[in-house]
Amino acid sequence: MAEYTLLIILFAPFLGALALIFVSNRQVSLVRGIAAGSAFVSLAASVYLFYAYDSVKGGYQFIQRIEWSRQLGISLHLGVDGIGTPLVLASGILLFAGIFVSWHIKDRVKEFYIWILILAAATIGVFMSLDLFFLYFFYEMSVIPMYLLLGMWGSHTKKYLEMTDPEGLKQRDSVGFIFNFGANSKEYAAMKLVLFLSAFAVAALMGILLIYKFSGLNTFDILILREKAHFSGPLATLIWLLIFFGFASIAPIWPLHSWSPVGHAAAPAATSMLHAGVLMKLGHFSIIRVAFEILPETTRELMPIAAVLCIFSIIYGGLVAYYAKDTKYVIGYSSSSHMGYVFLGMAALDYISLSGAVIYMFAHAMATGMLFAMAGWVYDQTHTRDIPSLGGLSNRMPFISAAFVIGCMASIGMPGTVNFIAEVMIIVGSWNKYPFQVVVAVLGIVLTMAYLFKMMRGLFYGSMAEKYSHSHDAVAVVDRMPLLIMITVSISFGIFPGHLYSVVRSGVDPLIARITKVVPVAELPMNIPQASTPTMPQPAPGEAIAKVTSR
Amino acid sequence: MTFSLTLSASDLLLLLPELFLTLWLCVVLAVDFSFKRIVQEQLAYLTIFGVIITLACLAWFDMTGITGTLFGKMFVVDRMAIFFKVMILLATILVILLSIDYVHRFSLFRGEYYFLVAMSALGMMFMASANDLLSLFVTLEFATFGFYVLVSYLRDDMASNEAGLKFFILGVFAAGLLAYGISLVYGETGKLVFSDMTGAAPTTGLVIGFLLIFAALGFKIGAVPFHSWIPDTYHGAPTPVTAFLSIAPKVAAFAILLRLFLVALATFKPAWALLIVAASILSMTYGNIVAIAQRNIKRLLAYSGIAQVGNVLIGLAAGTKMGTDSILFYLLTYLFANLGAFAVIMAISNSVGSDEIDDYRGLNRRSPFLAFAMLIFLLSLAGVPPLAGFIGKLYIFVAAIKEGLYILITVGLVNIVVSMYYYLIVVKKMYINEPLDSSPIKTTGPLRAVIYVGLAGTLVIGIYPQPFLDWAVAATLMFSNLIGPAASLTPPVTPFGG
């Protein structure tokens, strides 16, 4: 049974979506039940995966290999390492929470859950793919549900609604609406997202095809390519750039970020959660899985590109978030700013910083998931996301405002949340290599505080407009549960990060050893609680030395 | 050249599917004439029955490995011919099913309609087996002949007449080019059979001759710059005929193109590869860019069809065994997605009476099933996983990258993104926009059947393509001696780790 864990995690949502096709749209509770049930199966299996992953042994575990096409050298090769495992868990949590966050959707409920299940399952598929073909397969598969979710259940921006007549038909349906930068309709956001991601995805596909051709191995299998394929010179540079920018667009790195906040703003709450929580991490993860694994030398040479671009990500995203007036724009730009930290952690190519980056991905998924869920709740109650017109909502929704404070704390990286550990690891780990960026990153934290507090004050404190007096708090269990889950996860891993840390280290260690050929220091990096000492990655030094000398 | 006119029993066996279909066509015609009161539906099912028996016969050929040549190599039955014939007959069945609810629009000649459809199919079956220049010309004209009538079948409709006339004039012009090309090639080489021409010297006459033949075939598949008839003809023709026209003649013409380029011209590959690359880039780019501006779904699919042909030509430009496999596989995926899309179009036009994309507004609310089916078909055409079209495109790209056709692949990849835009515009109308008229759309049994077949084909091939890949690979074993890495034949690398 245990060896099928990955298949269960991956296919439970797919089967749920399949089952939903045969359910009538009128049986709303049955629809929700099936969606929540399949998400729960996936979540339970991913929790099991997280704790059953053997961080002492390390490497790829729970491997499944099903031959798919002999002619093309493709197999459904699934497996997780210490980097994939927490991300699979994060996807499971956010999918489960997302099902409940969207509990009150009224329009076309069945279709909504079908697409959200497919979106989450495809995302999970990327995190466990050990085959380049399937990595791309699931990656591209996650894009199309976004189009429908944004378009069908999303919302227009305030400015757009002001610009169009109530019918809005003319403007929304003109062929040139895609170039209509002034006003972001949900259709515009959805189309921009899909075209942007597809355009860069095909660049990554070109990189994958070049790897396939020049490895000469007739296989898409990452594990075989990692061992046997060697690339050098301009070819390696070209492939690396295609892979890096192809996947970094979804991350999103500056200047390829513009689709992301627009998409966040248009998306319904659960979609924003999955989008910011896990979809964006597909970028970092795919870069680690493809570029770091298959092109280690080129990664060492070219990763400074990311170190340069991440400065712009952090500062630009933070500044726009500070001046944005739309709650979802603020959280969206804060997400793209925070993804800069992950790039900094990756660029430093250090044991501590890369581990920090991976933990940051997990931590950010929880924090931003909370914020988007609550922004969605506020929008559902007030039907506006315009911060200046809101205020004083803490009287009406004490639970939400309290949870929002915790969400902001997590997002800032207060001690006690897992974000703090991740941030400190990134900062400490990259200090040696990129001190300037670290200074920027620390300033970025101050900036994060500024815009999050500003938004918090604007939404929940001050005086409340009369028209929002009918809005009410999240009282029901289904409404509170998703937030409580994410808060619990964020804080409990903040206090007891031992297992998370050792799992991540077991994935990061062999990777960094291969890239930098520096043996990890087998001692505790910093203020990681002592609980993690027994499960420190034991085999790291010896194995790494063996690997270095063999190459 | 020895030419034997005696036919032995085993020779007749090779011709069995064609002979049976010919006889059956006579039966259909006779039944139509003899029973004045016969319901046209029964005639349709009678025709389908004959086609299914022919398919069964081909399946038997494929399983028992019956192959051979006839009439001094004019007519060849090999596994590739069988593959193409199966595709053509499959398309014929689906098109006849599509027609059942459409035929009442024709004022006259309802019985002959099915006869003409099946007759064109017969012609295209012969095309799939054509192995020399003479049979190329005869079978091509035979197959097109039926279409000239079918396209202008709506006698009182101006658009249909215009479509027929345009198709006829340009078709006859292409036939003239073909005949002239054939005469030049024969004059230069003295050979007619493709496989005899391999060693011919590249004289000017020969080059011009082959260019003319390529132009005529390019007309059939609708590759740029021979595409100009496609939009108007697709737009004006009766929709089931458009559906038929959009897949079957292309399939048959690709059978001839493969034999012509990979057998007769195998030695000149570097020269013609450039020609194909140019045609492919032009077709993809032109088709996709012009499709963006279309307001009519049939015209949109016409231009997207031009672009799809450009994609298939990538496989031909690769010119390897794997390239051939990918062409066969791609055409199969295209068949299901395209005919499925046309079935949805017919269901909507039967109910709404229009083919304008604006009338697809809110289809999701009016008929969730039709909207979902259309979504799947369009995304498969765009090449989105996990649908068949994605595997088809990827297979073609893999075949091409092994030959180092980087520019072609880059153009192809960029075009995927461009095509996504206009397919998603249709998706937007269906799913995001609200309907102007929210009455539900009724579908009939035969149309549903076609949609189900299309959905099954698109999803099954997309999720588990192995049997279909195997079939395509087995069908083109005769090309395994082609230049370039025979990638399909190398054993898989032993799995690492688990």
PDB file of all heavy atoms in Angstrom, chain A residues 325-353:
ATOM      1  N   LYS A 325      -4.372  49.644  -4.414  1.00  0.00           N
ATOM      2  CA  LYS A 325      -5.569  49.946  -3.627  1.00  0.00           C
ATOM      3  C   LYS A 325      -6.543  48.782  -3.598  1.00  0.00           C
ATOM      4  O   LYS A 325      -7.626  48.877  -3.038  1.00  0.00           O
ATOM      5  CB  LYS A 325      -6.265  51.167  -4.215  1.00  0.00           C
ATOM      6  CG  LYS A 325      -5.478  52.436  -4.011  1.00  0.00           C
ATOM      7  CD  LYS A 325      -6.298  53.651  -4.318  1.00  0.00           C
ATOM      8  CE  LYS A 325      -5.597  54.902  -3.856  1.00  0.00           C
ATOM      9  NZ  LYS A 325      -4.180  54.968  -4.282  1.00  0.00           N
ATOM     10  N   ASP A 326      -6.160  47.701  -4.234  1.00  0.00           N
ATOM     11  CA  ASP A 326      -7.057  46.558  -4.357  1.00  0.00           C
ATOM     12  C   ASP A 326      -6.472  45.444  -3.480  1.00  0.00           C
ATOM     13  O   ASP A 326      -5.290  45.128  -3.601  1.00  0.00           O
ATOM     14  CB  ASP A 326      -7.087  46.162  -5.835  1.00  0.00           C
ATOM     15  CG  ASP A 326      -7.975  44.978  -6.106  1.00  0.00           C
ATOM     16  OD1 ASP A 326      -7.856  43.963  -5.396  1.00  0.00           O
ATOM     17  OD2 ASP A 326      -8.768  45.048  -7.049  1.00  0.00           O
ATOM     18  N   THR A 327      -7.262  44.869  -2.593  1.00  0.00           N
ATOM     19  CA  THR A 327      -6.691  43.898  -1.638  1.00  0.00           C
ATOM     20  C   THR A 327      -5.929  42.787  -2.356  1.00  0.00           C
ATOM     21  O   THR A 327      -4.828  42.414  -1.957  1.00  0.00           O
ATOM     22  CB  THR A 327      -7.797  43.247  -0.801  1.00  0.00           C
ATOM     23  OG1 THR A 327      -8.821  42.807  -1.668  1.00  0.00           O
ATOM     24  CG2 THR A 327      -8.349  44.196   0.208  1.00  0.00           C
ATOM     25  N   LYS A 328      -6.545  42.284  -3.420  1.00  0.00           N
ATOM     26  CA  LYS A 328      -5.894  41.142  -4.070  1.00  0.00           C
ATOM     27  C   LYS A 328      -4.637  41.566  -4.826  1.00  0.00           C
ATOM     28  O   LYS A 328      -3.710  40.777  -4.953  1.00  0.00           O
ATOM     29  CB  LYS A 328      -6.883  40.454  -4.990  1.00  0.00           C
ATOM     30  CG  LYS A 328      -7.884  39.616  -4.215  1.00  0.00           C
ATOM     31  CD  LYS A 328      -8.593  38.674  -5.127  1.00  0.00           C
ATOM     32  CE  LYS A 328      -9.348  37.642  -4.336  1.00  0.00           C
ATOM     33  NZ  LYS A 328     -10.075  36.745  -5.239  1.00  0.00           N
ATOM     34  N   TYR A 329      -4.637  42.816  -5.335  1.00  0.00           N
ATOM     35  CA  TYR A 329      -3.398  43.295  -5.960  1.00  0.00           C
ATOM     36  C   TYR A 329      -2.283  43.362  -4.926  1.00  0.00           C
ATOM     37  O   TYR A 329      -1.138  43.008  -5.202  1.00  0.00           O
ATOM     38  CB  TYR A 329      -3.609  44.677  -6.581  1.00  0.00           C
ATOM     39  CG  TYR A 329      -3.974  44.634  -8.027  1.00  0.00           C
ATOM     40  CD1 TYR A 329      -5.291  44.765  -8.432  1.00  0.00           C
ATOM     41  CD2 TYR A 329      -3.006  44.432  -8.988  1.00  0.00           C
ATOM     42  CE1 TYR A 329      -5.641  44.700  -9.753  1.00  0.00           C
ATOM     43  CE2 TYR A 329      -3.342  44.364 -10.323  1.00  0.00           C
ATOM     44  CZ  TYR A 329      -4.664  44.498 -10.698  1.00  0.00           C
ATOM     45  OH  TYR A 329      -4.996  44.437 -12.015  1.00  0.00           O
ATOM     46  N   VAL A 330      -2.623  43.845  -3.720  1.00  0.00           N
ATOM     47  CA  VAL A 330      -1.598  43.948  -2.678  1.00  0.00           C
ATOM     48  C   VAL A 330      -1.021  42.567  -2.388  1.00  0.00           C
ATOM     49  O   VAL A 330       0.205  42.368  -2.400  1.00  0.00           O
ATOM     50  CB  VAL A 330      -2.198  44.555  -1.388  1.00  0.00           C
ATOM     51  CG1 VAL A 330      -1.166  44.532  -0.285  1.00  0.00           C
ATOM     52  CG2 VAL A 330      -2.677  45.959  -1.649  1.00  0.00           C
ATOM     53  N   ILE A 331      -1.912  41.583  -2.163  1.00  0.00           N
ATOM     54  CA  ILE A 331      -1.410  40.253  -1.825  1.00  0.00           C
ATOM     55  C   ILE A 331      -0.691  39.639  -3.027  1.00  0.00           C
ATOM     56  O   ILE A 331       0.324  38.968  -2.880  1.00  0.00           O
ATOM     57  CB  ILE A 331      -2.560  39.356  -1.340  1.00  0.00           C
ATOM     58  CG1 ILE A 331      -3.359  40.076  -0.254  1.00  0.00           C
ATOM     59  CG2 ILE A 331      -2.019  38.064  -0.775  1.00  0.00           C
ATOM     60  CD1 ILE A 331      -4.603  39.334   0.151  1.00  0.00           C
ATOM     61  N   GLY A 332      -1.233  39.910  -4.229  1.00  0.00           N
ATOM     62  CA  GLY A 332      -0.604  39.367  -5.431  1.00  0.00           C
ATOM     63  C   GLY A 332       0.804  39.909  -5.617  1.00  0.00           C
ATOM     64  O   GLY A 332       1.753  39.154  -5.856  1.00  0.00           O
ATOM     65  N   TYR A 333       0.947  41.241  -5.503  1.00  0.00           N
ATOM     66  CA  TYR A 333       2.294  41.807  -5.670  1.00  0.00           C
ATOM     67  C   TYR A 333       3.185  41.398  -4.506  1.00  0.00           C
ATOM     68  O   TYR A 333       4.391  41.227  -4.675  1.00  0.00           O
ATOM     69  CB  TYR A 333       2.226  43.322  -5.814  1.00  0.00           C
ATOM     70  CG  TYR A 333       2.078  43.748  -7.250  1.00  0.00           C
ATOM     71  CD1 TYR A 333       0.877  44.205  -7.747  1.00  0.00           C
ATOM     72  CD2 TYR A 333       3.162  43.637  -8.119  1.00  0.00           C
ATOM     73  CE1 TYR A 333       0.740  44.554  -9.079  1.00  0.00           C
ATOM     74  CE2 TYR A 333       3.038  43.985  -9.438  1.00  0.00           C
ATOM     75  CZ  TYR A 333       1.823  44.448  -9.914  1.00  0.00           C
ATOM     76  OH  TYR A 333       1.700  44.777 -11.233  1.00  0.00           O
ATOM     77  N   SER A 334       2.609  41.243  -3.321  1.00  0.00           N
ATOM     78  CA  SER A 334       3.447  40.796  -2.214  1.00  0.00           C
ATOM     79  C   SER A 334       3.944  39.384  -2.494  1.00  0.00           C
ATOM     80  O   SER A 334       5.084  39.041  -2.187  1.00  0.00           O
ATOM     81  CB  SER A 334       2.654  40.870  -0.912  1.00  0.00           C
ATOM     82  OG  SER A 334       2.359  39.607  -0.416  1.00  0.00           O
ATOM     83  N   SER A 335       3.111  38.563  -3.139  1.00  0.00           N
ATOM     84  CA  SER A 335       3.565  37.221  -3.485  1.00  0.00           C
ATOM     85  C   SER A 335       4.716  37.280  -4.470  1.00  0.00           C
ATOM     86  O   SER A 335       5.710  36.574  -4.313  1.00  0.00           O
ATOM     87  CB  SER A 335       2.429  36.424  -4.115  1.00  0.00           C
ATOM     88  OG  SER A 335       1.483  36.098  -3.164  1.00  0.00           O
ATOM     89  N   SER A 336       4.576  38.125  -5.499  1.00  0.00           N
ATOM     90  CA  SER A 336       5.675  38.123  -6.464  1.00  0.00           C
ATOM     91  C   SER A 336       6.921  38.742  -5.845  1.00  0.00           C
ATOM     92  O   SER A 336       8.033  38.366  -6.205  1.00  0.00           O
ATOM     93  CB  SER A 336       5.284  38.790  -7.770  1.00  0.00           C
ATOM     94  OG  SER A 336       4.716  40.025  -7.557  1.00  0.00           O
ATOM     95  N   SER A 337       6.740  39.640  -4.879  1.00  0.00           N
ATOM     96  CA  SER A 337       7.902  40.159  -4.163  1.00  0.00           C
ATOM     97  C   SER A 337       8.549  39.057  -3.327  1.00  0.00           C
ATOM     98  O   SER A 337       9.766  38.881  -3.329  1.00  0.00           O
ATOM     99  CB  SER A 337       7.462  41.325  -3.280  1.00  0.00           C
ATOM    100  OG  SER A 337       8.389  41.546  -2.257  1.00  0.00           O
ATOM    101  N   HIS A 338       7.706  38.275  -2.649  1.00  0.00           N
ATOM    102  CA  HIS A 338       8.259  37.224  -1.787  1.00  0.00           C
ATOM    103  C   HIS A 338       8.927  36.110  -2.572  1.00  0.00           C
ATOM    104  O   HIS A 338       9.830  35.446  -2.077  1.00  0.00           O
ATOM    105  CB  HIS A 338       7.152  36.671  -0.885  1.00  0.00           C
ATOM    106  CG  HIS A 338       6.792  37.617   0.207  1.00  0.00           C
ATOM    107  ND1 HIS A 338       5.756  37.404   1.067  1.00  0.00           N
ATOM    108  CD2 HIS A 338       7.342  38.797   0.564  1.00  0.00           C
ATOM    109  CE1 HIS A 338       5.677  38.418   1.913  1.00  0.00           C
ATOM    110  NE2 HIS A 338       6.626  39.273   1.623  1.00  0.00           N
ATOM    111  N   MET A 339       8.459  35.912  -3.809  1.00  0.00           N
ATOM    112  CA  MET A 339       9.112  34.882  -4.605  1.00  0.00           C
ATOM    113  C   MET A 339      10.547  35.277  -4.930  1.00  0.00           C
ATOM    114  O   MET A 339      11.373  34.437  -5.241  1.00  0.00           O
ATOM    115  CB  MET A 339       8.321  34.626  -5.887  1.00  0.00           C
ATOM    116  CG  MET A 339       7.018  33.894  -5.670  1.00  0.00           C
ATOM    117  SD  MET A 339       7.213  32.307  -4.835  1.00  0.00           S
ATOM    118  CE  MET A 339       6.769  32.713  -3.174  1.00  0.00           C
ATOM    119  N   GLY A 340      10.837  36.576  -4.850  1.00  0.00           N
ATOM    120  CA  GLY A 340      12.214  37.014  -5.016  1.00  0.00           C
ATOM    121  C   GLY A 340      13.123  36.421  -3.953  1.00  0.00           C
ATOM    122  O   GLY A 340      14.287  36.100  -4.228  1.00  0.00           O
ATOM    123  N   TYR A 341      12.603  36.267  -2.726  1.00  0.00           N
ATOM    124  CA  TYR A 341      13.402  35.656  -1.662  1.00  0.00           C
ATOM    125  C   TYR A 341      13.787  34.227  -2.031  1.00  0.00           C
ATOM    126  O   TYR A 341      14.902  33.781  -1.787  1.00  0.00           O
ATOM    127  CB  TYR A 341      12.610  35.627  -0.355  1.00  0.00           C
ATOM    128  CG  TYR A 341      12.410  36.979   0.265  1.00  0.00           C
ATOM    129  CD1 TYR A 341      11.313  37.749  -0.084  1.00  0.00           C
ATOM    130  CD2 TYR A 341      13.311  37.475   1.188  1.00  0.00           C
ATOM    131  CE1 TYR A 341      11.115  38.991   0.471  1.00  0.00           C
ATOM    132  CE2 TYR A 341      13.122  38.722   1.753  1.00  0.00           C
ATOM    133  CZ  TYR A 341      12.031  39.480   1.378  1.00  0.00           C
ATOM    134  OH  TYR A 341      11.851  40.703   1.921  1.00  0.00           O
ATOM    135  N   VAL A 342      12.806  33.516  -2.628  1.00  0.00           N
ATOM    136  CA  VAL A 342      13.102  32.136  -3.010  1.00  0.00           C
ATOM    137  C   VAL A 342      14.215  32.120  -4.056  1.00  0.00           C
ATOM    138  O   VAL A 342      15.133  31.305  -4.005  1.00  0.00           O
ATOM    139  CB  VAL A 342      11.830  31.446  -3.531  1.00  0.00           C
ATOM    140  CG1 VAL A 342      12.122  30.025  -3.938  1.00  0.00           C
ATOM    141  CG2 VAL A 342      10.746  31.481  -2.478  1.00  0.00           C
ATOM    142  N   PHE A 343      14.120  33.072  -5.000  1.00  0.00           N
ATOM    143  CA  PHE A 343      15.171  33.113  -6.013  1.00  0.00           C
ATOM    144  C   PHE A 343      16.517  33.462  -5.393  1.00  0.00           C
ATOM    145  O   PHE A 343      17.553  32.922  -5.801  1.00  0.00           O
ATOM    146  CB  PHE A 343      14.814  34.115  -7.117  1.00  0.00           C
ATOM    147  CG  PHE A 343      13.977  33.520  -8.193  1.00  0.00           C
ATOM    148  CD1 PHE A 343      12.677  33.915  -8.392  1.00  0.00           C
ATOM    149  CD2 PHE A 343      14.494  32.508  -8.997  1.00  0.00           C
ATOM    150  CE1 PHE A 343      11.897  33.334  -9.370  1.00  0.00           C
ATOM    151  CE2 PHE A 343      13.722  31.924  -9.979  1.00  0.00           C
ATOM    152  CZ  PHE A 343      12.426  32.337 -10.170  1.00  0.00           C
ATOM    153  N   LEU A 344      16.508  34.334  -4.397  1.00  0.00           N
ATOM    154  CA  LEU A 344      17.769  34.657  -3.732  1.00  0.00           C
ATOM    155  C   LEU A 344      18.340  33.414  -3.062  1.00  0.00           C
ATOM    156  O   LEU A 344      19.528  33.098  -3.202  1.00  0.00           O
ATOM    157  CB  LEU A 344      17.525  35.762  -2.699  1.00  0.00           C
ATOM    158  CG  LEU A 344      18.729  36.114  -1.818  1.00  0.00           C
ATOM    159  CD1 LEU A 344      19.891  36.567  -2.681  1.00  0.00           C
ATOM    160  CD2 LEU A 344      18.369  37.213  -0.828  1.00  0.00           C
ATOM    161  N   GLY A 345      17.463  32.675  -2.367  1.00  0.00           N
ATOM    162  CA  GLY A 345      17.917  31.454  -1.718  1.00  0.00           C
ATOM    163  C   GLY A 345      18.451  30.444  -2.706  1.00  0.00           C
ATOM    164  O   GLY A 345      19.428  29.739  -2.443  1.00  0.00           O
ATOM    165  N   MET A 346      17.816  30.388  -3.881  1.00  0.00           N
ATOM    166  CA  MET A 346      18.293  29.447  -4.884  1.00  0.00           C
ATOM    167  C   MET A 346      19.601  29.921  -5.499  1.00  0.00           C
ATOM    168  O   MET A 346      20.494  29.122  -5.787  1.00  0.00           O
ATOM    169  CB  MET A 346      17.242  29.286  -5.979  1.00  0.00           C
ATOM    170  CG  MET A 346      16.064  28.417  -5.587  1.00  0.00           C
ATOM    171  SD  MET A 346      14.670  28.656  -6.682  1.00  0.00           S
ATOM    172  CE  MET A 346      15.321  28.014  -8.206  1.00  0.00           C
ATOM    173  N   ALA A 347      19.705  31.237  -5.722  1.00  0.00           N
ATOM    174  CA  ALA A 347      20.868  31.755  -6.429  1.00  0.00           C
ATOM    175  C   ALA A 347      22.154  31.575  -5.626  1.00  0.00           C
ATOM    176  O   ALA A 347      23.222  31.380  -6.197  1.00  0.00           O
ATOM    177  CB  ALA A 347      20.657  33.239  -6.746  1.00  0.00           C
ATOM    178  N   ALA A 348      22.042  31.637  -4.288  1.00  0.00           N
ATOM    179  CA  ALA A 348      23.260  31.548  -3.489  1.00  0.00           C
ATOM    180  C   ALA A 348      23.887  30.167  -3.555  1.00  0.00           C
ATOM    181  O   ALA A 348      25.077  30.009  -3.263  1.00  0.00           O
ATOM    182  CB  ALA A 348      22.947  31.916  -2.042  1.00  0.00           C
ATOM    183  N   LEU A 349      23.111  29.157  -3.949  1.00  0.00           N
ATOM    184  CA  LEU A 349      23.632  27.794  -4.091  1.00  0.00           C
ATOM    185  C   LEU A 349      24.379  27.352  -2.830  1.00  0.00           C
ATOM    186  O   LEU A 349      25.526  26.913  -2.897  1.00  0.00           O
ATOM    187  CB  LEU A 349      24.534  27.677  -5.316  1.00  0.00           C
ATOM    188  CG  LEU A 349      23.820  27.811  -6.660  1.00  0.00           C
ATOM    189  CD1 LEU A 349      24.815  27.799  -7.779  1.00  0.00           C
ATOM    190  CD2 LEU A 349      22.776  26.739  -6.842  1.00  0.00           C
ATOM    191  N   ASP A 350      23.707  27.505  -1.732  1.00  0.00           N
ATOM    192  CA  ASP A 350      24.307  27.154  -0.462  1.00  0.00           C
ATOM    193  C   ASP A 350      23.343  26.197   0.233  1.00  0.00           C
ATOM    194  O   ASP A 350      22.133  26.255   0.011  1.00  0.00           O
ATOM    195  CB  ASP A 350      24.483  28.448   0.359  1.00  0.00           C
ATOM    196  CG  ASP A 350      25.001  28.162   1.746  1.00  0.00           C
ATOM    197  OD1 ASP A 350      26.230  28.105   1.889  1.00  0.00           O
ATOM    198  OD2 ASP A 350      24.170  27.980   2.655  1.00  0.00           O
ATOM    199  N   TYR A 351      23.895  25.320   1.072  1.00  0.00           N
ATOM    200  CA  TYR A 351      23.030  24.337   1.732  1.00  0.00           C
ATOM    201  C   TYR A 351      21.928  25.016   2.516  1.00  0.00           C
ATOM    202  O   TYR A 351      20.758  24.651   2.440  1.00  0.00           O
ATOM    203  CB  TYR A 351      23.854  23.454   2.661  1.00  0.00           C
ATOM    204  CG  TYR A 351      24.775  22.542   1.904  1.00  0.00           C
ATOM    205  CD1 TYR A 351      26.087  22.907   1.661  1.00  0.00           C
ATOM    206  CD2 TYR A 351      24.311  21.337   1.410  1.00  0.00           C
ATOM    207  CE1 TYR A 351      26.920  22.092   0.936  1.00  0.00           C
ATOM    208  CE2 TYR A 351      25.132  20.516   0.678  1.00  0.00           C
ATOM    209  CZ  TYR A 351      26.448  20.889   0.453  1.00  0.00           C
ATOM    210  OH  TYR A 351      27.253  20.083  -0.269  1.00  0.00           O
ATOM    211  N   ILE A 352      22.326  26.017   3.298  1.00  0.00           N
ATOM    212  CA  ILE A 352      21.344  26.655   4.171  1.00  0.00           C
ATOM    213  C   ILE A 352      20.361  27.483   3.351  1.00  0.00           C
ATOM    214  O   ILE A 352      19.143  27.409   3.547  1.00  0.00           O
ATOM    215  CB  ILE A 352      22.059  27.579   5.186  1.00  0.00           C
ATOM    216  CG1 ILE A 352      23.095  26.793   5.977  1.00  0.00           C
ATOM    217  CG2 ILE A 352      21.059  28.225   6.113  1.00  0.00           C
ATOM    218  CD1 ILE A 352      22.506  25.693   6.796  1.00  0.00           C
ATOM    219  N   SER A 353      20.887  28.230   2.382  1.00  0.00           N
ATOM    220  CA  SER A 353      19.992  29.141   1.683  1.00  0.00           C
ATOM    221  C   SER A 353      19.004  28.377   0.808  1.00  0.00           C
ATOM    222  O   SER A 353      17.838  28.746   0.739  1.00  0.00           O
ATOM    223  CB  SER A 353      20.792  30.130   0.846  1.00  0.00           C
ATOM    224  OG  SER A 353      21.290  29.503  -0.304  1.00  0.00           O
TER     225      SER A 353
END
